[in-house]
Amino acid sequence: MALPKIDVPIYDLLLPISKKTVKYRPFLVKEEKILLMAMETNEEKSIIDAIEQIVGNCIQGGVDIRDIPMVDFELLFLHIRARSVGEMVDLQYKCNNDLEGKPCGNLVDVSVDLLKVSPTNTESNSNIKLSSGVGITLKYPTLRSVDITSEDENAFIDILYNNFDYIYDDESIYYSKDILREEFIDFVESLTGNDFKKIKEFFLSLPKLSIDLNFNCTKCGYSKVLTLEGIKSFF
């Protein structure tokens, strides 16, 4: 005799950057084990791979999670986690209030409602106007992209090559699919320092998951608004 199957609820989430609505379910015990094992390794790649596998299992089709902006992917995972293990997550943060030249150091419990976390700067201008009537239209990095915080200039150029849509001038549009990497590198290396800075600023100001919390130290009484940013802040 076959055992009964348990119905799993289905939820909707409008992804704020890609403007797509995704249906998803909570993760199951087998998927929670995948995440816990990855977190035990404390390796970022293992954790990201586990999250990708879990999100891929839990969405109900229609969206390729490797092609949506990273912040949409991260928000989707937080909602899946909230529906799976509870909306409220308890975290601890150390009080850094200065007490006679020394930090307080008291560990303070902070509760976060995962469903209230939202991305900052969702209206980033991806159309960057450069010198001499030339411009470049950029794309939000996805799982297919490498770490955008890398200080290696070559790594950043690879990110840029994988995340631009087209280059244009007064006469033509040059789409990324038609531009070889070597041609693109020559283009980037011909930019002025100011133009290159404009491009880097777009990537450095990408949307991040964020929430403001009231922080109150139970030891020294210090109070402030604590801003949590990035998916790592919610583990």
Side-chain angles (χ1 to χ4, degrees), residues 5-21:
K5 291 187 177 181
I6 298 175
D7 290 333
V8 179
I10 302 297
Y11 301 93
D12 289 340
L13 175 64
L14 175 63
L15 302 178
I17 306 300
S18 51
K19 308 301 183 187
K20 297 177 179 179
T21 297

Side-chain angles (χ1 to χ4, degrees), residues 150-218:
S150 172
E151 295 181 0
D152 185 327
E153 203 67 29
N154 291 327
F156 178 74
I157 290 176
D158 283 336
I159 295 165
L160 184 53
Y161 180 64
N162 290 328
N163 290 286
F164 84 97
D165 196 4
Y166 56 85
I167 297 167
Y168 63 90
D169 57 22
D170 292 335
E171 299 179 354
S172 301
I173 296 176
Y174 311 88
Y175 290 97
S176 57
K177 64 183 179 64
D178 300 321
I179 300 175
L180 298 175
R181 185 178 182 278
E182 292 74 16
E183 293 177 306
F184 184 77
I185 290 175
D186 287 342
F187 170 79
V188 172
E189 291 181 344
S190 71
L191 297 175
T192 64
N194 188 51
D195 282 343
F196 191 60
K197 181 181 178 182
K198 290 179 184 178
I199 293 172
K200 291 191 77 170
E201 284 176 350
F202 169 80
F203 288 98
L204 293 173
S205 62
L206 287 170
K208 297 179 182 178
L209 297 183
S210 177
I211 191 170
D212 290 335
L213 302 170
N214 292 322
F215 179 93
N216 298 290
C217 181
T218 54

